[in-house]
Amino acid sequence: MAASDSEGRLGEEFFTPGTTSFTEFLAAHRPELLPTRSPFPDGVRAEPGRFPHGTTVLALAYRDGVLIAGDRRATMGNLIAQRDLEKVHPADDHTAVAFAGSVGLALDMVKLFQVELTHFEKIEGIPMTLRAKANRLAGMIRQNLGQAMQGLAVVPLLAGYDPAAPEGRRGRIFSFDVAGGLYEKSDFHADGSGSPYARGALKKLFHPGMDRREAALAALQALYDAADDDSATGGPDINRRIFPIVSVITEDGFERLPEPETEELSREMVEQRRARPDGPGATP
């Protein structure tokens, strides 16, 4: 990656004490490898509809931690570019990130964020606090502001389990704007083009102390509502057996719900919609 001599030895930069940030290391020695570099000349914007975009992602706190989920559709203008995109990724053992926005750039940013957390832990010997992880991701988004202004925005959603938080509040959720603004959300949040509909569903379905099954069903109901009103969000595809990605983060770490469990819950939710197309009412 970085400079080496003709005998294949690593360059001096690898042996010089420096920052705990891998992103800053790249910026200093190989800035062209950063995903936040601009692919366009100044003043040139990305043509709308020419790059795949991911859409609705959400997170909600529940009894054992936090759940994070996303639909699977990517769109390119009025076309469906991909039906089985994975928008939810583990960042480390107790943190996950989901994204809406430009798919290629978002995937590169997620990979860089994963390396950033691993690099810090190797240098310092301890993991970052959850708040520090959110701040690091906010900084990476801020570096991408130039591309966002050119039409290539990434809007991630960060969720994690924080053992230092009070009992019952250890599942934490952070959202961001395209300029790197950081906002901690209570109970639940959704981002992406279908997020207004998903948040509306979560507002009526969420209640404190939900178990894993209740939280997963609420997330699936919210994504279904988003798909019902937003053409860029994909609902459960029963025929192709493509279902939303649902993951949880607890004291035991990150876990993606097994495909059979997600399929079972999705089919149960779709069957409920046959009797009640507008979805369940507010939780008493």
Side-chain angles (χ1 to χ4, degrees), residues 117-126:
L117 301 187
T118 301
H119 182 264
F120 178 92
E121 188 167 349
K122 288 183 179 298
I123 296 296
E124 294 293 325
I126 57 172

Side-chain angles (χ1 to χ4, degrees), residues 25-43:
F25 177 82
L26 277 186
H29 301 289
R30 293 294 295 275
E32 71 276 9
L33 295 179
L34 287 170
T36 52
R37 69 192 186 283
S38 177
F40 305 118
D42 291 342

